[in-house]
C-alpha cells in the first residue's frame, strides 16, 4: 500500500473524533479518520444510545405492567417483554446512527480508514488494516481513542462477570443481578433491569450511590429504587464470586453473600492509551489520561487529544465540543476552551440534571450566594405526568444575581438541560429568567419559579 498524506489525521471515530473530522471536512481541511471498531464509538454502539433505548423499553414495560396501581383508569393484562426483540430494536437504532455518521463523514469529504492506529512518531501513524499496514503522514494528529471499562482484580470480566457492553445486549433477563459500582452506569442500567423484573443489588464503595451528586438530589432516586425492591449496600466492596454467589465486605469488615446470576461491574472507565505508541511520544500525562491545555493541545506540537482519553467529565457532548473546537483551531480560527459549563444528566428515575456550580462549590470558592428551589409537586405539568417528586434549584451570586449553577431532579427533567446551559453560558441573571415567559404547562416553569423564589417572590408556592 502506498503511503498517505493529509493535513489532519483523527484516531477514533467516537463522538469526539467524528465531530472533529466532520467539522474539519466542512472547513476544507484534508482529513483522514481511522477507526479500529465501529464508527460512532462507545456512545453510539455500547453507551449513551443503547442504554437510553433499554431505559425507554424498561419504562414502557414497567408502566404498562403497573398501570392498574395508577389512578388514571388504564388497565392491561399479560404485559410481556421479549428482550431479544428489544435488543434487535436497539441494534437497529444503533445501525441507523452509525450509518448516518458514516454518511456525514463522507459528505464532509473525509477519508475513513478501518484499522488500528499506532504512532510511529509525532507526525506518522501506522494503521493495521485487513489489507496490511498503512502508513499515514499528517501535519496534525488528534487522539480520540476514548475509554474502556475498568476491570476489578477480584472480578475479572468473563463468564457471568460482565461490563456495560454485555449488559446492554442481554437477551435473557438475569433473575438476580448484582451491580458493583453505583455511579452513572450502575444506576441507569440497574434501574432499567429492576423495572424489567430482575432482583437488583447495588454494591457501592462510598457512603452513597451517585456520590457526585448531593444527598437532596439523590433522595427521590433512592425512594424509587426502594419501591422497585433494589437493595443498596454502601461502604462495601466485592471480594470475589464463586458458584453464582458474590462475596461482599463492608467497611466494618462484615461479610455478606449475594446470589447473582450476573455481576455487572461499573466502577468507572479508563482511557484507551495503551498500544497506540504513546510511550514513544513521551507525552505529558494527567494521571492515566493525556494531559491537554485549553486548546486540547498535548505536550507535543501538532498532537491534540479530545474526549474520554483526556479525563473527566467523560461525556459525549464534551468530547463533541472539544472535537469541533480542535477542527477550527487547525483551520486557523482563534478558539480555546472557554465553556462556562458542561451539563450532566443521569437518566435514573427520576432523572437528574446539573449544570454549573453547586451551592457547596460556590461557597467553597468564597462566593456569597442565594439559592431558590421550586418543588415539582407544585408544577401542573408534573402532576399530569404523575411525576411530582423532585425540584428545580438555582444557585446565584448574592451581589448581582448572576446564575452560577442549576440542578434539578424529576421525571423527564433532562430536557431542561438546554435551558440550564444557555442560562449559564449567556450569563443570565435571576431577573432574566424570572422575566422570561415560560410556556404553561411545562416543567420549565419550575426553572422560572426557582429564579423567582431566589428573588423572594415565587408565584406558585
Ligand atoms: P469513544 O466513544 O470511546 O470512541 C473512541 C473510538 O476510538 C472507539 O470507536 C474506538 O474503537 C476507537 N479507537 C481506540 N483506539 C483506537 C486505535 N488505536 N485506532 C483506531 N481507533 C481506535 N455520555 C453522555 O454524554 N451521555 C450518556 O447518556 C452516556 N451514557 C453512557 C452509557 C454507557 C453504558 C457508557 C459506557 C458511556 C456513556 N456515556 C455517556 C459516555 C460516552 O459514551 C463517552 O463520553 C463518549 O463516547 C466519549 O467519546 P470519545 O470520542 O472520547 O470516545
Ligand atoms: P462512575 O465514576 O460514574 O461510577 C463508578 C462508581 O463505582 C462510583 O460511585 C465509585 O464510588 C464506585 N466504585 C469504584 N470502585 C468500586 C469498587 N471497588 N467497589 C464498589 N464500587 C466502586 O463510573 P461509571 O458508572 O462506570 O461510568 C463511567 C463514565 O461514563 C462516567 O464517568 C460518566 O461520565 C459516563 N457516563 C455518563 C452517563 C450519562 O451522562 N448519563 C451515563 C453512563 C456513563
Amino acid at each position: 500500500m502506498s503511503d498517505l498524506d493529509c493535513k489532519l489525521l483523527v484516531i477514533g471515530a467516537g463522538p469526539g473524533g467524528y465531530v472533529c473530522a466532520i467539522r474539519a471536512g466542512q472547513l476544507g481541511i484534508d482529513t483522514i479518520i481511522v477507526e479500529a471498531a465501529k464508527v460512532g464509538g462507545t456512545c453510539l454502539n455500547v453507551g449513551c444510545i443503547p442504554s437510553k433505548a433499554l431505559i425507554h423499553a424498561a419504562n414502557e414495560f414497567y408502566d404498562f405492567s403497573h398501570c392498574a396501581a395508577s389512578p388514571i383508569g388504564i388497565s392491561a393484562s399479560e404485559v410481556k417483554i421479549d428482550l431479544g426483540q428489544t435488543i434487535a430494536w436497539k441494534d437497529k437504532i444503533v445501525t441507523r446512527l452509525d450509518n448516518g455518521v458514516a454518511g456525514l463523514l463522507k459528505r464532509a469529504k473525509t477519508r475513513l480508514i478501518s484499522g488500528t492506529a499506532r504512532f510511529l512518531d509525532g507526525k506518522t501513524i501506522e494503521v493495521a488494516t485487513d489489507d496490511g499496514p498503512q502508513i499515514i503522514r499528517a501535519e496534525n494528529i488528534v487522539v480520540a481513542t476514548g475509554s474502556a471499562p475498568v476491570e476489578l482484580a477480584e472480578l475479572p470480566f468473563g463468564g457471568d462477570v460482565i461490563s456495560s457492553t454485555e449488559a446492554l445486549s442481554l437477551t435473557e433477563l438475569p433473575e438476580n443481578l448484582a451491580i458493583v459500582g453505583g455511579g452513572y452506569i450502575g444506576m441507569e442500567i440497574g434501574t432499567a433491569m429492576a423495572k424489567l423484573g430482575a432482583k437488583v443489588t447495588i454494591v457501592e464503595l462510598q457512603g452513597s450511590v451517585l456520590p457526585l451528586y448531593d444527598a437532596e438530589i439523590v433522595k427521590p432516586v433512592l425512594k424509587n429504587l426502594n419501591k422497585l425492591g433494589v437493595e443498596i449496600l454502601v461502604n462495601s466492596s466485592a471480594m470475589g464470586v464463586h458458584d453464582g454467589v458474590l462475596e461482599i465486605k463492608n467497611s466494618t469488615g462484615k461479610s455478606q453473600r449475594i446470589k447473582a446470576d450476573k455481576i455487572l461491574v461499573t466502577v468507572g472507565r479508563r482511557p484507551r492509551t495503551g498500544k497506540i505508541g504513546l510511550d514513544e511520544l513521551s507525552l505529558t500525562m494527567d494521571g492515566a489520561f493525556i494531559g491537554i491545555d485549553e486548546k486540547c493541545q498535548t505536550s507535543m506540537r501538532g498532537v491534540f487529544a479530545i474526549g474520554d482519553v483526556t479525563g473527566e467529565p467523560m461525556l459525549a457532548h464534551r468530547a463533541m465540543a472539544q472535537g469541533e473546537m480542535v477542527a477550527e483551531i487547525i483551520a486557523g480560527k482563534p478558539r480555546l476552551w472557554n465553556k462556562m459549563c458542561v451539563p450532566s444528566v443521569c437518566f435514573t428515575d427520576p432523572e437528574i440534571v446539573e449544570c454549573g456550580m453547586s451551592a457547596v462549590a460556590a461557597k467553597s470558592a468564597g462566593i456569597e450566594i442565594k439559592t431558590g428551589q421550586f418543588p415539582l409537586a407544585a408544577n401542573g405539568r408534573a402532576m399530569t405526568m404523575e411525576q411530582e417528586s423532585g425540584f428545580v434549584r438555582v444557585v446565584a451570586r448574592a451581589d448581582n444575581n448572576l446564575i452560577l449553577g442549576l440542578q434539578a431532579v424529576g421525571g423527564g427533567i433532562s430536557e431542561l438541560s438546554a435551558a440550564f446551559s444557555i442560562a449559564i453560558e449567556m450569563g443570565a441573571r435571576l431577573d432574566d429568567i424570572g422575566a422570561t415567559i415560560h410556556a404553561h404547562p411545562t416543567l420549565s416553569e419550575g426553572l422560572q419559579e426557582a429564579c423567582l423564589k431566589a428573588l423572594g417572590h415565587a408565584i406558585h408556592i
Side-chain angles (χ1 to χ4, degrees), residues 12 15-16 35-36 41-43 47-48 52 117 144 146 269 276 307-308 314-316:
E35 172 53 54
T42 302
C43 178
C48 325
K52 271 74 238 178
R269 294 181 60 87
I276 54 172
D308 282 10
M314 288 197 255
L315 296 171

Side-chain angles (χ1 to χ4, degrees), residues 181 183-185 188 203-206 211 266-268 312 314-315 345:
Y184 275 96
I185 301 180
E188 288 187 359
V203 180
E204 166 59 44
L205 190 63
Q206 297 201 40
T266 53
V267 294
E312 295 283 358
M314 288 197 255
L315 296 171
V345 174

Side-chain angles (χ1 to χ4, degrees), residues 16 33 63 121 139 163 188 209 211 228 232 238 240-241 262 301 336 347 369 407:
I33 182 164
D63 289 348
D121 60 48
E139 279 174 48
S163 74
E188 288 187 359
V209 290
L228 289 168
I232 296 177
V241 60
K262 294 274 181 226
R301 195 144 35 90
L336 51 81
F347 294 85
I369 55 161
Q407 303 95 35

Side-chain angles (χ1 to χ4, degrees), residues 10-18 34-52 113-118 127 143-149 164-165 168 184-185 188-189 266 269 272-276 306-310 313-320 322 343 345-347:
V10 182
I11 308 176
Y18 82 69
V34 183
E35 172 53 54
K38 284 170 83 180
V39 164
T42 302
C43 178
L44 264 53
N45 295 293
V46 293
C48 325
I49 298 298
S51 58
K52 271 74 238 178
I113 293 184
S114 295
T116 304
R118 194 186 144 73
V127 185
V143 183
T145 49
S147 64
S164 54
T165 299
L168 293 170
Y184 275 96
I185 301 180
E188 288 187 359
I189 297 181
T266 53
R269 294 181 60 87
R272 273 203 217 95
T273 47
K275 298 184 194 157
I276 54 172
I306 58 174
D308 282 10
V309 79
T310 62
M314 288 197 255
L315 296 171
H317 41 277
R318 169 185 174 256
M320 292 189 211
Q322 288 177 319
V345 174
C346 191
F347 294 85

Side-chain angles (χ1 to χ4, degrees), residues 377-396:
N379 175 280
R381 179 68 174 151
M383 287 181 207
T384 60
M385 298 194 308
E386 295 184 279
Q387 298 277 6
E388 291 180 39
S389 73
F391 57 84
V392 181
R393 184 170 62 200
V394 63
V395 177

